[in-house]
Amino acid sequence: MSKTGQSLFMVALMLLCCAPSFVGSADEKPIVEQSESGDLEDFEEDISDLLNRWSDIPGGQVSLMYNGTEIYNKAFGMADVESSTLVDTDSRFRIASLSKAVTSAAILTLIEGGNISLDDKMVDLVPHLIPDELEGCDFPNHSTSYSINDITVSQLLNHRGGFDPSSDPTYWHWNLWSFQTNECLDIDGVETEYDNGNLAPISMETILSEWLRRPLDYEPGTQYVYSNIGYQILGQIIEVETGMDYEEYVTQFVLEPMGITGMEIGMTMPNQRAIGEVSYYDYENDTSPCFFPSRQDLDGEPVFDNAPDPDCGGFVVEEKDGGGGWIANTSEYGLFLAHIDGTINSSLFENPFDYFVENPDDTNGGWYGRGVYISSEGLDVWDHNGAFSGSSTRFKRIVTDEGEPIIAVLFINTRPSGTVDGKSWTSDRSTTMTNAMMSVDYANLTLDEGGGDEESDCTPGDTQPADDGCNECVCTENQTWGCSTIICIDDVEEEPTTEESEIDEGLPGFGFASALLMLIGTAFFSRRRVHITDSGRATIQHCPSVGCAVGGCLHAEPNHED
């Protein structure tokens, strides 16, 4: 067993918000529960067994949504093995290619806003990427009957843009660029621009511009070939059309209107990563030359020290923004999916479901829609995998017999290799997630009504004590009760808790109760919940359309390629 796996058995995990609750025996990977989420024993057992089979997984998260409401959200294992820091349900992970749906959603806002159309030509939208002519290269008059002038926005979204590189240039290290001999790559120009590697890594704009000078690998629209290049170009289109940074536009005009505040573009170097972001572990402990030079040698040449692949030896995550750069937790990514499939109504989109499933060039069997895979089982079944060294992510969407959508999201901070019981990680995870989702008796789920009776009328603004005797419930604008979610003071030791002291510091002049009531007043009218994070910060979090309740948002409880 690796160092990562051995460390997992040295730490006992505590529940973040309530009393300790462990799954399985002492030899199994413990799972930390966010809040009461109902009796989902079969689902939990399936996921727990999967994680225990792959015992060298440091940690991760899993969330389950039913009809737009999160009914299960748990964290497990280690966010950072060396410091024995635990994953919690707010921890954020690199989601890799699950970022493509985020980019596609931003493109949809531009289409519905009239900025662009699916039939627009790529070259008209990203003039800054069109390369100059180069001696020895036939660009722009390659011998083929097709060229980059034919590529449309629609084809980029469906991975049918003509790109089929034998080696993905978005992952190329400086050393690989410097030894290229292709006559259509301006290596001399790149070496000059980046001071022979001292200014590495190469920007995505330079990578794309150089690649567009090459002849296409096939006629656009005639084949499906999964390609990161196309989605990186879509990210550039967003910047040109909005005049904003890609991350800034997506955050302001896609994610925040959904109530999502914890997603952002990740950073490669460990000392630059976001607060609450996990550490990443290569399953085989592989190292490679870091993409960032550490110094110059005596001849002025860059020195690239070896580093773990997830820490800068494998890629530059901030440059892979539109194709794979986002970090998130499973809860917020599930909320994002519930918006883009139309489960949660939003003023952002008119008909997102039809947009995401469409591929005008594929009509039989499964296909790649616009940022998501569409299963051969039908338009209602979606999935997508994501992977870097040190990261593996997946979501799956299915529907009940009544057509109610179910979404499961699983993130871990390694990418397992090899086989267990004759199955690869990708295969085992896919089968297990599907079986776990289908094991739940969704027809008998009931909503947790918190401090009041959801069926009874109440007047917006009315208040009453929650059932626990210390939280406060407020009647929301849709006449359901929403309650705060603090740890009851009677349940903790007399010494001030982290939650109390840090909220007092954050709101000078107010005690804990006063500060919390102020947050509740802001929250209940906008269908949000007050949440005390693991670090003691009080935040307001978005609830799905159902509303809020004790323990968080209203949730359901059963009665029993990377």
Side-chain angles (χ1 to χ4, degrees):
M1 181 179 291
S2 70
K3 174 183 175 183
T4 299
Q6 293 169 350
S7 300
L8 292 174
F9 298 101
M10 300 174 63
V11 179
L13 298 184
M14 296 180 60
L15 227 171
L16 299 178
C17 299
C18 308
S21 174
F22 297 97
V23 176
S25 68
D27 293 329
E28 295 175 327
K29 193 185 306 295
I31 296 181
V32 179
E33 187 173 20
Q34 177 198 32
S35 61
E36 293 300 324
S37 56
D39 183 11
L40 294 158
E41 293 181 355
D42 291 340
F43 179 87
E44 182 169 282
E45 183 177 359
D46 286 345
I47 298 299
S48 181
D49 287 348
L50 171 69
L51 302 176
N52 286 310
R53 283 195 297 275
W54 296 85
S55 57
D56 282 352
I57 294 174
Q61 293 170 338
V62 60
S63 295
L64 183 66
M65 296 194 75
Y66 165 61
N67 208 22
T69 298
E70 185 174 76
I71 60 175
Y72 184 93
N73 180 17
K74 290 197 176 182
F76 60 88
M78 311 288 282
D80 184 83
V81 173
E82 288 73 18
S83 65
S84 297
T85 302
L86 309 180
V87 180
D88 63 45
T89 51
D90 291 325
S91 297
R92 294 182 286 176
F93 292 72
R94 291 172 177 167
I95 66 173
S97 285
L98 270 62
S99 301
K100 290 178 171 64
V102 180
T103 298
S104 181
I107 290 291
L108 177 56
T109 65
L110 298 181
I111 293 171
E112 293 190 345
N115 300 72
I116 63 174
S117 76
L118 288 167
D119 295 327
D120 281 350
K121 301 296 186 182
M122 177 199 73
V123 294
D124 295 330
L125 301 177
V126 284
H128 68 294
L129 295 182
I130 307 307
D132 296 329
E133 296 183 25
L134 182 65
E135 184 177 356
C137 175
D138 292 335
F139 177 83
N141 300 308
H142 292 299
S143 60
T144 57
S145 61
Y146 48 86
S147 72
I148 62 173
N149 295 326
D150 301 314
I151 302 173
T152 66
V153 171
S154 179
Q155 290 163 351
L156 293 175
L157 288 163
N158 294 136
H159 292 298
R160 303 180 75 88
F163 306 110
D164 185 14
S166 57
S167 176
D168 187 343
T170 67
Y171 283 93
W172 284 5
H173 188 277
W174 172 262
N175 292 338
L176 191 55
W177 276 97
S178 63
F179 286 103
Q180 291 299 308
T181 59
N182 188 296
E183 64 276 6
C184 288
L185 299 179
D186 184 10
I187 302 304
D188 289 340
V190 171
E191 289 181 338
T192 299
E193 181 179 359
Y194 290 91
D195 189 23
N196 293 314
N198 286 302
L199 300 179
I202 299 174
S203 72
M204 188 57 64
E205 289 87 345
T206 297
I207 294 171
L208 296 175
S209 183
E210 290 299 317
W211 208 255
L212 290 176
R213 193 185 290 112
R214 299 172 66 259
L216 292 176
D217 299 296
Y218 61 88
E219 182 178 359
T222 62
Q223 297 183 40
Y224 160 76
V225 180
Y226 189 90
S227 168
N228 290 308
I229 297 170
Y231 270 79
Q232 297 297 160
I233 294 173
L234 289 167
Q236 295 289 312
I237 290 174
I238 292 167
E239 293 194 338
V240 172
E241 290 301 314
T242 64
M244 299 172 66
D245 173 76
Y246 165 82
E247 179 184 15
E248 181 184 7
Y249 178 81
V250 174
T251 299
Q252 185 173 343
F253 292 100
V254 178
L255 299 177
E256 287 182 353
M258 297 178 179
I260 295 171
T261 59
M263 290 179 62
E264 62 182 278
I265 296 298
M267 298 296 290
T268 304
M269 302 300 288
N271 62 356
Q272 297 177 350
R273 289 181 190 152
I275 295 173
E277 185 176 0
V278 300
S279 297
Y280 304 98
Y281 300 92
D282 186 272
Y283 207 68
E284 305 295 337
N285 296 317
D286 287 343
T287 63
S288 303
C290 181
F291 273 63
F292 297 83
S294 59
R295 60 191 182 282
Q296 292 180 334
D297 64 17
L298 295 177
D299 296 323
E301 296 297 316
V303 175
F304 299 96
D305 293 328
N306 268 19
D309 283 0
D311 289 347
C312 75
F315 48 89
V316 182
V317 69
E318 56 266 36
E319 290 293 340
K320 296 180 71 64
D321 49 11
W326 289 93
I327 62 172
N329 60 50
T330 56
S331 181
E332 289 202 323
Y333 193 78
L335 180 60
F336 165 76
L337 292 170
H339 277 84
I340 68 171
D341 74 357
T343 303
I344 297 177
N345 292 327
S346 170
S347 60
L348 274 174
F349 313 118
E350 292 181 4
N351 192 359
F353 184 93
D354 288 349
Y355 164 84
F356 275 93
V357 302
E358 188 174 359
N359 187 325
D361 297 303
D362 279 325
T363 57
N364 297 315
W367 61 79
Y368 196 92
R370 293 174 175 148
V372 297
Y373 283 101
I374 310 303
S375 170
S376 58
E377 300 172 57
L379 295 179
D380 287 321
V381 182
W382 301 6
D383 65 58
H384 210 299
N385 295 342
F388 290 135
S389 169
S391 305
S392 184
T393 60
R394 176 173 172 81
F395 88 81
K396 180 71 178 280
R397 179 193 190 273
I398 60 177
V399 294
T400 65
D401 292 339
E402 291 73 30
E404 298 164 317
I406 306 158
I407 295 170
V409 186
L410 175 64
F411 298 163
I412 62 172
N413 56 347
T414 190
R415 181 175 61 182
S417 57
T419 60
V420 171
D421 297 333
K423 289 185 176 181
S424 68
W425 161 250
T426 303
S427 173
D428 196 6
R429 175 187 58 183
S430 176
T431 302
T432 300
M433 287 181 67
T434 300
N435 291 340
M437 294 170 74
M438 296 176 66
S439 71
V440 179
D441 184 9
Y442 298 98
N444 289 317
L445 294 175
T446 57
L447 290 174
D448 175 5
E449 297 170 359
D453 182 356
E454 187 189 5
E455 298 303 321
S456 64
D457 291 337
C458 63
T459 302
D462 285 353
T463 62
Q464 69 176 34
D467 291 341
D468 57 21
C470 72
N471 280 287
E472 182 77 6
C473 297
V474 189
C475 183
T476 66
E477 60 185 353
N478 61 351
Q479 296 184 302
T480 59
W481 289 99
C483 305
S484 58
T485 59
I486 63 169
I487 299 174
C488 297
I489 303 302
D490 292 342
D491 295 338
V492 298
E493 297 179 5
E494 291 185 5
E495 184 170 334
T497 63
T498 301
E499 287 80 2
E500 294 176 82
S501 61
E502 293 205 14
I503 289 183
D504 287 341
E505 292 175 9
L507 295 170
F510 292 89
F512 179 74
S514 299
L516 184 64
L517 287 173
M518 289 177 64
L519 288 172
I520 294 170
T522 304
F524 79 85
F525 281 116
S526 56
R527 207 158 54 224
R528 284 164 164 77
R529 67 182 176 92
V530 177
H531 173 65
I532 307 301
T533 67
D534 188 46
S535 62
R537 293 180 57 222
T539 62
I540 296 175
Q541 294 190 341
H542 176 82
C543 290
S545 56
V546 177
C548 300
V550 171
C553 299
L554 282 173
H555 55 265
E557 293 184 354
N559 292 327
H560 64 36
E561 323 75 9
D562 290 358

